[in-house]
Amino acid sequence: MAGVKVNYTYEQLMAEVKQYISNPKDLALIEKAYLYAADKHKHQKRRSGEPYLVHLVQVSYILSTMRVGPKTIVAGLLHDVIEDCGVTKEEFLQDFDEEIYNLVDAVTKIGNIEFKDEKEYLAENHRKIFIAMAKDIRVIIIKLVDRLHNMRTLQHMPPEKQRKIAAETLDVYAPISHRLGISSIKNELEDLSFQYLDRDKYYEIARLVEQRRSERDAHINKMIEDISAMLKELNISFRIFGRSKHLYSIYKKMLTKDKAFGDILDLLAIRIITDTELTCYEILGYIHQKYRPIPGRLKDYIAMPKMNMYQSLHTTIVGDAGNIFEVQIRTEQMDSVAEKGVAAHWRYKEGSKYNPAKEQKEIEEKLTWFKDLITLKDEMGGSDAQGFMDALQVDLFDANVYVMSPKGRVIDLPNGSTPIDFAYRIHTEVGHKTVGAIVNGNLVPLTTVLKTGDVVELRTSKQSPGPSEDWLKIVKTSNARNKIRSFISKKMGEKREPVIEKGQALFRDEIIRRGYDQEYLSGKKLEHLYGMFNYNNAADFYYAIAVKAITISAIMEKIYNRSTPLDNQEVQRLVNKNEKKSVNTKHGISVAGIDSMMISLAGCCQPVYGDEVVGFITKGQGVKVHRVNCVNIAQEKQRLIDVTWDDNQEHLRYPTSLYVESSNRNNILSEIIAIVSAQKANMTFISAQETEDGMSSITRMTVNVTDLKHLNTLMTNLRKIDGVYKVDRMNNG
Ligand code: MN
């Protein structure tokens, strides 16, 4: 609950630190920072009357619970010495190194961001600049924790200041912790802010929650008992507990869904933690078997993680007495990411050399991976949230520049951008009519490269003939480049038809040359394709191809990514390792004159008993058995050899991968899982993702079947699911 009294001392800080840091040098450094801060701040007191040092120790304590590295703890202790004690860089560097100085300096600068006018985009600007200035994730975490502690002790501030700080926290700090997935900090910041921004509402909800507590606890405990008994019987390892929603999230649900307190569904909430992803789905299946799920409430954030890396299964079920429960199912690792977000990936490991650049890179890869995987709109903030996540990624990991219009609007541009990029970002017409630029009060050439903090004013003229070819060489952003190209091609507009035809021919030839699916040449698939490049019709798309506004290779890449189900590595992962071992010596297949040890099933087409198959004599790996129509052997003639299935197959299982295309409706994944389990096809892998247009969902899975007949029955049943329009075996050619 908000307003908790916490009072961590230096002893408690060190006790926490010693749980994961043992290097005497690091411990000595932390002690030195503590003594340094104690000395520098010795005459300062907080509004509460406590010595200022208390704040620093407590910030560092919270940081240590997040298992940050020693330098981050040191920076936490020293984060106010530049600002409050006037310590200069030279002075600082006599005692501590440059890396720590940079952390403290960045924390200080972020603290000093001030905006003059209260425009509606203020909060967004603030968040952007905050992140742009931080650069290093450690700075953001220190700043978030600093704010968390200040919010915990906000009662000592005058009311006016309380509201201002609480509003800023809600607008800037809570969303940033959300973006980074640090829900423990986000939730506390939100509840604390809420308490100061709308005291009446806060206490009303707190009272309502409290009133129903014993009744609620009884329901939850009963449900926990029932589910525990069921899972124990099934020999599934798990942890289960009830959880309470934080007050602000209840309040927000009441507001956005216009509901009374009593109607908020997920007040009764249960979380189940288990060991593997597959067990999560298994548990979900059993729970849905036992309790009625509420339609439309199943969310599979495991297959489709949120932007901030959050993964979990969510479902809502009706319990025995008609009570409604929200159930979350996830692994330990997912739970840790859910609570600590990026910080969970950042855990300081002693002995491993801490390298900020390397760590940053790892997170970058993680975020990129997640970004590629999903196009989910975030439930909290719609498309703005998505935009912010994109911005966050660029801000944190690319060297971006932030420039301002004279009115204080912040525009982010890639490094190397010029005033023309800026102009096109403001408005297309502004771009076309720009004739000059004034940066920080000086007239500059349009080729000038902009830096963060530049204030850019544009000179436009109605008489301007518009952009010329030369500008294409000056601009950095694809946005500006596309607009200049389209302006130029429109000016030359008269001969559009032949250009369109040329583009169409280029496109068609390339599809055929690469042997891609010719369905992309017309109809739905073509529509999807040009939609992905933001074109509304085929003519504009072909035109863009002809004038090279989009490159043919970019288009081909999109098709390739959409139509290639899995890469080899993934297929390797698909094959259940144990399964592979036990079957390895005998696959139920014979080749005249060849030892069965030397025969194995090809991973690419994954034949099952009953498939028409052929052997391929590999170099040094014996005979690989492929399905006869496998593309990998299509060109082979000489090295093929006849193989035959043995008759007695009963004990064998064949792993094979399926590809399911379906509408993107909510429960479809659980229905697919239910069919597979009803068919006893022992699933060993599943992954689902939305298509780029968000209309469909592609599910890939590996099942283990006894033979072709079993597989066909399974596929037929999958096709019967409402909304499934394609079920295929995968042949990773
Ligand atoms: Mn502070």
Side-chain angles (χ1 to χ4, degrees):
M1 177 112 1
V4 278
K5 271 262 180 225
V6 275
N7 219 339
Y8 305 115
T9 62
Y10 178 66
E11 286 66 37
Q12 283 167 312
L13 164 65
M14 290 316 280
E16 190 68 28
V17 162
K18 281 175 186 161
Q19 290 193 26
Y20 69 104
I21 296 176
S22 59
N23 186 335
K25 265 192 192 158
D26 289 335
L27 295 173
L29 183 68
I30 294 170
E31 190 185 3
K32 182 179 168 188
Y34 169 74
L35 294 172
Y36 189 92
D39 177 50
K40 295 291 173 196
H41 293 280
K42 64 176 174 261
H43 298 304
Q44 289 164 15
K45 286 206 178 345
R46 303 197 88 210
R47 271 189 166 267
S48 60
E50 289 174 321
Y52 197 84
L53 189 64
V54 172
H55 166 66
L56 305 167
V57 169
Q58 297 190 358
V59 165
S60 298
Y61 177 86
I62 301 169
L63 287 169
S64 71
T65 63
M66 299 169 79
R67 297 295 182 258
V68 301
K71 292 201 173 176
T72 314
I73 293 179
V74 167
L77 284 165
L78 301 177
H79 79 264
D80 282 324
V81 295
I82 297 180
E83 175 81 11
D84 296 347
C85 313
V87 173
T88 64
K89 182 171 181 179
E90 290 67 38
E91 246 177 284
F92 192 98
L93 291 180
Q94 284 167 17
D95 293 285
F96 301 97
D97 68 20
E98 186 104 23
E99 187 181 342
I100 297 172
Y101 177 81
N102 289 337
L103 292 174
V104 172
D105 184 50
V107 170
T108 306
K109 283 187 176 138
I110 289 173
N112 288 334
I113 302 173
E114 282 275 1
F115 287 89
K116 282 171 206 86
D117 46 10
E118 306 235 342
K119 293 261 161 70
E120 54 166 321
Y121 48 76
L122 182 141
E124 188 202 329
N125 276 350
H126 199 153
R127 292 198 296 259
K128 277 187 182 173
I129 291 191
F130 182 114
I131 286 170
M133 287 175 71
K135 291 289 184 212
D136 187 324
I137 190 88
R138 294 175 295 173
V139 172
I140 300 181
I141 289 175
I142 296 170
K143 199 61 211 169
L144 289 176
V145 171
D146 180 35
R147 176 54 61 104
L148 177 61
H149 185 252
N150 287 335
M151 285 301 295
R152 282 179 179 175
T153 51
L154 199 61
Q155 72 266 30
H156 304 292
M157 287 285 175
E160 175 125 344
K161 227 165 172 196
Q162 285 177 349
R163 271 193 304 276
K164 185 171 173 268
I165 293 174
E168 187 188 54
T169 301
L170 202 56
D171 283 344
V172 178
Y173 289 77
I176 287 173
S177 13
H178 178 56
R179 288 297 142 233
L180 295 175
I182 314 174
S183 66
S184 56
I185 291 187
K186 183 208 120 199
N187 292 348
E188 195 179 342
L189 287 178
E190 283 185 348
D191 271 3
L192 286 164
S193 306
F194 180 30
Q195 191 185 355
Y196 288 101
L197 289 171
D198 193 343
R199 192 169 288 269
D200 293 348
K201 202 82 209 161
Y202 176 88
Y203 283 106
E204 183 194 325
I205 293 177
R207 204 179 54 243
L208 287 166
V209 167
E210 196 50 45
Q211 265 173 15
R212 295 191 28 172
R213 186 180 295 278
S214 65
E215 183 194 348
R216 202 177 62 230
D217 286 354
H219 291 317
I220 287 183
N221 290 337
K222 170 80 172 51
M223 192 56 152
I224 286 179
E225 260 171 47
D226 291 354
I227 293 179
S228 297
M230 174 179 81
L231 295 180
K232 265 183 206 140
E233 203 160 296
L234 292 160
N235 264 326
I236 293 174
S237 79
F238 67 96
R239 259 180 336 114
I240 185 168
F241 47 92
R243 55 187 189 89
S244 49
K245 295 218 96 154
H246 71 295
L247 301 182
Y248 185 68
S249 73
I250 297 172
Y251 170 68
K252 241 178 25 183
K253 280 214 162 127
M254 290 167 71
L255 276 187
T256 54
K257 310 225 159 115
D258 192 26
K259 283 197 167 140
F261 178 80
D263 300 333
I264 306 283
L265 281 186
D266 33 21
L267 285 178
L268 295 172
I270 283 174
R271 184 176 300 160
I272 304 171
I273 314 273
T274 185
D275 41 16
T276 70
E277 203 175 296
L278 221 65
T279 326
C280 293
Y281 288 107
E282 229 178 298
I283 293 174
L284 178 74
Y286 288 122
I287 286 179
H288 280 183
Q289 231 162 53
K290 183 162 173 161
Y291 303 98
R292 188 165 61 80
I294 294 186
R297 299 272 303 181
L298 174 68
K299 301 257 166 63
D300 183 357
Y301 296 120
I302 292 181
M304 292 179 271
K306 291 197 198 182
M307 281 297 179
N308 61 17
M309 308 188 199
Y310 177 89
Q311 286 187 291
S312 188
L313 296 174
H314 290 188
T315 186
T316 305
I317 53 170
V318 185
D320 287 334
N323 289 305
I324 288 166
F325 294 85
E326 189 192 69
V327 183
Q328 301 180 337
I329 309 167
R330 52 173 84 150
T331 64
E332 292 286 355
Q333 165 69 11
M334 292 173 196
D335 194 50
S336 159
V337 171
E339 295 295 323
K340 305 188 188 81
V342 293
H345 297 283
W346 236 278
R347 301 208 129 199
Y348 177 74
K349 278 176 230 79
E350 205 158 49
S352 65
K353 241 185 162 179
Y354 183 83
N355 177 340
K358 189 174 145 259
E359 299 267 10
Q360 198 105 321
K361 184 99 181 90
E362 272 175 35
I363 299 297
E364 174 181 2
E365 276 158 16
K366 274 231 148 64
L367 285 171
T368 312
W369 182 73
F370 277 96
K371 206 177 152 247
D372 285 348
L373 203 69
I374 37 164
T375 44
L376 260 194
K377 282 213 174 105
D378 193 278
E379 59 177 6
M380 310 295 283
S383 60
D384 170 59
Q386 157 100 53
F388 182 65
M389 194 58 213
D390 291 347
L392 169 70
Q393 176 156 354
V394 171
D395 298 345
L396 274 179
F397 308 120
D398 297 348
N400 250 37
V401 295
Y402 285 78
V403 296
M404 275 177 273
S405 75
K407 283 184 183 157
R409 180 172 167 199
V410 177
I411 306 275
D412 57 317
L413 293 166
N415 234 347
S417 292
T418 62
I420 302 175
D421 291 297
F422 178 83
Y424 278 101
R425 188 63 74 76
I426 301 285
H427 195 276
T428 306
E429 280 310 308
V430 174
H432 290 340
K433 298 292 174 205
T434 290
V435 291
I438 295 162
V439 173
N440 305 327
N442 302 315
L443 192 64
V444 299
L446 289 174
T447 51
T448 304
V449 172
L450 299 174
K451 304 185 304 299
T452 291
D454 281 348
V455 177
V456 184
E457 202 177 330
L458 296 166
R459 284 285 148 87
T460 56
S461 159
K462 280 186 187 141
Q463 273 75 50
S464 163
S468 64
E469 293 269 355
D470 300 344
W471 281 21
L472 290 172
K473 295 179 208 120
I474 301 171
V475 297
K476 183 81 183 175
T477 54
S478 51
N479 170 50
R481 191 169 302 124
N482 290 341
K483 281 169 178 165
I484 295 166
R485 279 201 180 118
S486 91
F487 179 91
I488 294 170
S489 55
K490 243 180 221 145
K491 220 165 72 176
M492 309 190 311
E494 58 275 38
K495 296 186 204 104
R496 207 172 131 84
E497 245 349 276
V499 180
I500 291 171
E501 277 165 27
K502 184 180 153 210
Q504 187 176 14
L506 278 170
F507 175 65
R508 191 182 50 228
D509 292 350
E510 191 64 15
I511 294 260
I512 292 167
R513 194 180 73 76
R514 294 190 184 223
Y516 286 167
D517 190 348
Q518 300 207 11
E519 281 181 38
Y520 280 101
L521 293 175
S522 59
K524 270 247 151 356
K525 286 209 163 168
L526 177 63
E527 273 174 43
H528 280 168
L529 188 62
Y530 61 66
M532 276 190 266
F533 289 92
N534 298 320
Y535 289 92
N536 298 322
N537 58 66
D540 286 354
F541 179 59
Y542 295 142
Y543 192 87
I545 294 172
V547 301
K548 298 194 164 55
I550 40 177
T551 66
I552 205 98
S553 62
I555 301 166
M556 294 301 136
E557 197 178 322
K558 281 263 194 271
I559 297 178
Y560 180 80
N561 287 338
R562 281 172 65 91
S563 54
T564 307
L566 290 174
D567 63 26
N568 283 321
Q569 219 181 348
E570 211 168 345
V571 168
Q572 287 310 312
R573 203 154 53 81
L574 290 180
V575 180
N576 184 316
K577 296 206 177 68
N578 302 325
E579 208 82 28
K580 210 176 172 182
K581 259 181 208 137
S582 61
V583 179
N584 208 16
T585 49
K586 192 167 188 289
H587 303 280
I589 200 155
S590 304
V591 185
I594 291 182
D595 185 335
S596 70
M597 290 291 283
M598 295 300 290
I599 304 170
S600 56
L601 300 175
C604 50
C605 53
Q606 298 177 299
V608 307
Y609 179 66
D611 270 329
E612 263 192 84
V613 284
V614 65
F616 175 71
I617 303 160
T618 65
K619 286 184 186 141
Q621 289 178 52
V623 174
K624 288 263 183 214
V625 175
H626 292 257
R627 279 148 64 194
V628 288
N629 55 359
C630 176
V631 294
N632 285 340
I633 52 158
Q635 308 297 328
E636 294 294 339
K637 303 236 156 56
Q638 321 225 302
R639 292 160 67 190
L640 297 183
I641 180 171
D642 282 342
V643 299
T644 45
W645 294 106
D646 299 338
D647 283 339
N648 192 358
Q649 287 297 324
E650 275 151 61
H651 57 296
L652 288 178
R653 284 279 190 162
Y654 295 87
T656 197
S657 301
L658 296 178
Y659 172 93
V660 179
E661 222 176 299
S662 64
S663 73
N664 196 19
R665 91 183 148 75
N666 261 326
N667 281 350
I668 211 145
L669 197 59
S670 68
E671 287 173 33
I672 290 173
I673 293 167
I675 295 281
V676 173
S677 112
Q679 290 292 322
K680 302 200 167 30
N682 181 30
M683 183 186 285
T684 51
F685 170 87
I686 186 163
S687 135
Q689 77 186 87
E690 263 185 358
T691 52
E692 293 212 25
D693 53 36
M695 305 289 286
S696 310
S697 170
I698 306 289
T699 305
R700 287 157 186 148
M701 59 187 154
T702 301
V703 295
N704 289 270
V705 295
T706 53
D707 55 21
L708 187 59
K709 195 171 148 230
H710 185 197
L711 179 62
N712 284 337
T713 314
L714 171 65
M715 288 170 65
T716 307
N717 280 300
L718 288 173
R719 288 190 189 105
K720 284 183 191 156
I721 298 174
D722 189 26
V724 165
Y725 30 85
K726 191 171 175 187
V727 180
D728 258 337
R729 291 173 72 176
M730 291 198 279
N731 180 345
N732 190 50

